[in-house]
Amino acid sequence: MSDPVIAQKEPIAIEVEAGKSYWWCACGQSKNQPFCDGSHKGSDFVPMEFKAEKDGKAFFCGCKRTDNSPLCDGTHAKL
Ligand code: FES
Ligand code: FES
């Protein structure tokens, strides 16, 4: 599998709602970061579901290199 595209080298903060599902773009090609817009079609990537446990801000990974996907783990600082 090839590496995902780096959409941006910083997380994207989103206000999420408890119980709601969000589909994180794993391939980096979506024009609607951090979420999937279907651009992964034809690649080996698929979006990852994030189910919010509580209301509040979630920091989604924009660089697509996190080891805690779909959330930022600070890996972007080393890119
Ligand atoms: Fe990137 Fe769907 S557009 S996973
Ligand atoms: Fe990817 Fe922080 S934005 S690890």
Side-chain angles (χ1 to χ4, degrees):
M1 192 194 266
S2 53
D3 286 340
V5 170
I6 296 173
Q8 63 176 56
K9 290 184 183 172
E10 53 183 27
I12 302 156
I14 301 286
E15 287 287 346
V16 297
E17 277 175 53
K20 220 176 143 186
S21 282
Y22 299 83
W23 292 90
W24 177 71
C25 166
C27 73
Q29 299 202 77
S30 171
K31 299 280 182 280
N32 183 36
Q33 293 296 329
F35 302 124
C36 173
D37 71 353
S39 297
H40 62 271
K41 281 200 184 82
S43 76
D44 295 329
F45 293 98
V46 289
M48 175 184 275
E49 182 178 16
F50 173 77
K51 202 155 189 211
E53 286 172 6
K54 52 183 168 70
D55 291 345
K57 264 199 181 101
F59 292 86
F60 289 92
C61 171
C63 72
K64 315 303 176 184
R65 299 294 190 281
T66 178
D67 285 324
N68 185 36
S69 50
L71 303 177
C72 172
D73 71 350
T75 298
H76 64 268
K78 291 182 240 149
L79 298 174

